Amino acid sequence: MAQVTWTITGRLTVEENEVNGSGQPMTRPLTNVEVEVSASNFGAYASWGTVRTDSDGYFTLRETKDQSKRKIKVKVRFTDSELEINTGALANVGDFLSPAIEVFEHANEVEGPSINIGTRCFKAGAGGELGDRDNRRRAIAWYVCKKLINTFQATDPYFDFKDKVKIIYPANVVSGLCYANALTRSVYMHTTNSKDLWDVQVLIHEFMHLWNYDHNSGTANWFGAVFCPPDLSTHSQAERRPIAFHEGFAEFAAWELLHEVWGDEPDSKRTRQLPYTRYALVHDLYLDTVDEVEQNDKGVYRALCLLVGRAIYARRFGTKNTRLDSNPYPEKVETSGFDCPENPKLTIWDVLKVFQANPAKGYSTEWQVGNNDYGVRRFFDRAAGVLDKLDEATKDLLLSLIDPNSVEEPQSRCQELSWQIGGTQPIDAGQLTSVKKPLTR
Ligand SMILES: [Zn+2]
């Protein structure tokens, strides 16, 4: 029989309502997934090989065969050279093959040679394996991590991972917690019938632990794994400084990346997380000194939020003894009529850049995540050292704002504008009108 070129086309997407927090369904293309096409005529299926989806989820596979009617079956695996979504077994280590998920099969033989299977979407209510909850979550994990990896690569080559990373879902972890393992380069998302810890923010938190393992110096054999409760409350109050930094950074980076990458979507709830007042540091987090702030997950997390804060000079942080109405967040103050220094407006990308060695500016190694001398104050110093946008005076102000025992307000660096020549003078925060309303998050 004459040979012809069969062409199998289609598109792969996932519909989800979790990533931007709006609860609204969003359809996401599944990029660079492995698509295997098989065909049968009156017999067993034979593979026609694999192709990958493009950046919009489309794929095309061509195969030279005769024109007999055939059934086509299409399976996908979430794996490539950078990322793999594996199914977990009852183990914390080891390698599990990424499952092949069937997304299409003809009921009867059809005429070729051009077959378009349309858009196959992982979503709730979809038939077969497309609608399965665990497959949908695997597709979401693929979409989210692939989007982050691609964004890292496009933003700065330094941000890229050094090797392939894996997401194990559902994992049944002995501790009953999600965690990231530097040795297997895997994130374990604990999910069992009795305890479901699936959450996109937790996924990115763990993923950023792996990023941190790849972007640090001299700590190849430090603690290989960090167990992460979904809220950080079960961590001990005072930890080793590097663990607190590692945890606080992962938590900060997860929220900040959600904001940076998905914050502009319609109805997105992924706003920037805010720093805490001094009162909240002491009375909500029980951190009485800046040293304690530095040795606590949440203290580090809120300190890093300050580093990317937008309206520092329009916020009052208060004292450790005075609870502001906006607690735990700083209070908004009116700054019209005052000339304040420019906000550094750092982003998550600036923060990630601080990890990089910068010998020209005196930093010969990457950030030493596992070194007990490396806490969040040192990170602020290093940020001022390597980032042009952050000057020393602003950095010193930020350090005083994470010190529960300081009373300095950002407004002390503002000048009152005056119509009288030579009439500018420094002000104290008390001169500014407080707008007593809680900030939106
Ligand atoms: Zn963690």
Side-chain angles (χ1 to χ4, degrees):
M1 211 181 284
Q3 301 284 293
V4 295
T5 300
W6 285 66
T7 306
I8 317 300
T9 58
R11 186 182 186 217
L12 289 160
T13 60
V14 57
E15 183 185 285
E16 58 81 24
N17 63 2
E18 304 173 27
V19 178
N20 69 21
S22 70
Q24 303 299 316
M26 300 290 288
T27 301
R28 317 289 193 178
L30 292 169
T31 300
N32 213 44
V33 297
E34 182 187 286
V35 180
E36 180 172 30
V37 175
S38 304
S40 84
N41 52 341
F42 304 109
Y45 280 99
S47 176
W48 281 4
T50 62
V51 287
R52 292 199 174 274
T53 52
D54 67 14
S55 60
D56 221 15
Y58 290 95
F59 70 88
T60 300
L61 182 137
R62 293 186 179 83
E63 177 76 356
T64 304
K65 291 285 175 187
D66 68 49
Q67 291 194 61
S68 315
K69 290 169 76 174
R70 286 177 164 82
K71 290 205 292 188
I72 298 293
K73 183 155 71 179
V74 178
K75 290 186 174 185
V76 302
R77 289 175 69 222
F78 294 118
T79 179
D80 67 9
S81 61
E82 302 173 332
L83 177 66
E84 189 162 307
I85 314 297
N86 285 349
T87 194
L90 181 60
N92 289 335
V93 293
D95 206 356
F96 308 99
L97 194 65
S98 173
I101 303 167
E102 185 176 305
V103 298
F104 181 83
E105 183 180 18
H106 278 128
N108 303 294
E109 282 82 7
V110 298
E111 301 278 358
S114 292
I115 292 171
N116 184 346
I117 69 165
T119 297
R120 309 302 294 164
C121 182
F122 289 89
K123 66 174 181 179
E129 298 186 18
L130 285 167
D132 175 77
R133 184 199 72 173
D134 288 346
N135 286 338
R136 285 188 281 118
R137 288 176 173 181
R138 289 187 184 102
I140 294 170
W142 180 266
Y143 161 70
V144 166
C145 295
K146 205 69 194 167
K147 177 84 174 175
L148 290 173
I149 290 170
N150 289 338
T151 306
F152 289 168
Q153 291 168 345
T155 306
D156 189 318
Y158 173 70
F159 298 156
D160 201 3
F161 284 88
K162 297 202 170 28
D163 203 350
K164 184 169 180 168
V165 295
K166 296 171 189 170
I167 310 296
I168 314 300
Y169 173 84
N172 188 347
V173 182
V174 172
S175 65
L177 301 171
C178 297
Y179 85 112
N181 185 317
L183 303 176
T184 61
R185 302 184 61 79
S186 297
V187 164
Y188 296 82
M189 294 298 291
H190 182 85
T191 298
T192 62
N193 288 335
S194 59
K195 190 175 183 186
D196 181 2
L197 297 185
W198 169 260
D199 181 278
V200 167
Q201 190 270 338
V202 173
L203 171 69
I204 302 177
H205 171 117
E206 304 300 342
F207 183 74
M208 290 309 288
H209 279 316
L210 295 182
W211 186 91
N212 210 335
Y213 294 133
D214 271 359
H215 297 82
N216 76 85
S217 170
T219 50
N221 59 355
W222 67 322
F223 48 98
V226 180
F227 290 85
C228 307
D231 74 346
L232 302 171
S233 58
T234 61
H235 277 226
S236 61
Q237 184 65 12
E239 297 168 311
R240 287 176 59 219
R241 197 171 276 106
I243 295 177
F245 185 87
H246 190 60
E247 277 304 326
F249 165 74
E251 186 68 4
F252 159 79
W255 288 115
E256 195 64 14
L257 286 167
L258 280 167
H259 168 70
E260 182 73 28
V261 180
W262 291 280
D264 288 339
E265 293 184 346
D267 303 319
S268 175
K269 299 284 189 292
R270 301 308 188 183
T271 53
R272 190 163 258 129
Q273 301 294 303
L274 299 173
Y276 268 14
T277 60
R278 295 189 179 99
Y279 182 93
L281 292 177
V282 172
H283 298 274
D284 296 349
L285 301 185
Y286 310 108
L287 306 172
D288 292 324
T289 66
V290 67
D291 216 46
E292 289 181 14
V293 168
E294 193 163 66
Q295 295 180 65
N296 178 272
D297 297 354
K298 292 179 180 175
V300 171
Y301 163 43
R302 294 298 170 180
L304 291 172
C305 290
L306 178 63
L307 201 53
V308 297
R310 278 299 175 267
I312 299 165
Y313 297 100
R315 298 286 183 271
R316 175 150 60 198
F317 286 74
T319 71
K320 66 180 179 183
N321 297 318
T322 310
R323 188 183 187 283
L324 303 175
D325 288 349
S326 56
N327 192 72
Y329 306 113
E331 192 169 76
K332 205 168 182 175
V333 290
E334 185 57 61
T335 53
S336 60
F338 296 92
D339 180 22
C340 299
E342 204 176 329
N343 266 305
K345 294 192 174 168
L346 302 182
T347 67
I348 179 67
W349 308 126
D350 295 310
V351 173
L352 299 188
K353 199 71 177 167
V354 177
F355 286 80
Q356 188 174 22
N358 191 331
K361 294 192 170 171
Y363 300 90
S364 57
T365 71
E366 284 184 298
W367 178 253
Q368 296 180 34
V369 190
N371 184 326
N372 201 36
D373 294 335
Y374 281 60
V376 75
R377 279 179 291 182
R378 186 174 184 143
F379 192 82
F380 277 40
D381 285 336
R382 184 173 166 121
V386 299
L387 301 174
D388 293 338
K389 285 188 273 187
L390 183 63
D391 61 44
E392 286 290 321
T394 306
K395 180 263 296 179
D396 289 342
L397 168 67
L398 299 182
L399 286 175
S400 81
L401 296 176
I402 61 168
D403 181 351
N405 296 302
S406 170
V407 295
E408 185 180 4
E409 294 290 352
Q411 296 80 34
S412 66
R413 298 186 66 210
C414 303
Q415 306 276 320
E416 185 169 12
L417 293 173
S418 169
W419 291 290
Q420 294 168 328
I421 294 165
T424 61
Q425 57 178 342
I427 58 159
D428 68 67
Q431 287 176 265
L432 292 169
T433 314
S434 172
V435 184
K436 287 187 185 287
K437 66 173 186 182
L439 300 172
T440 55
R441 300 182 73 202

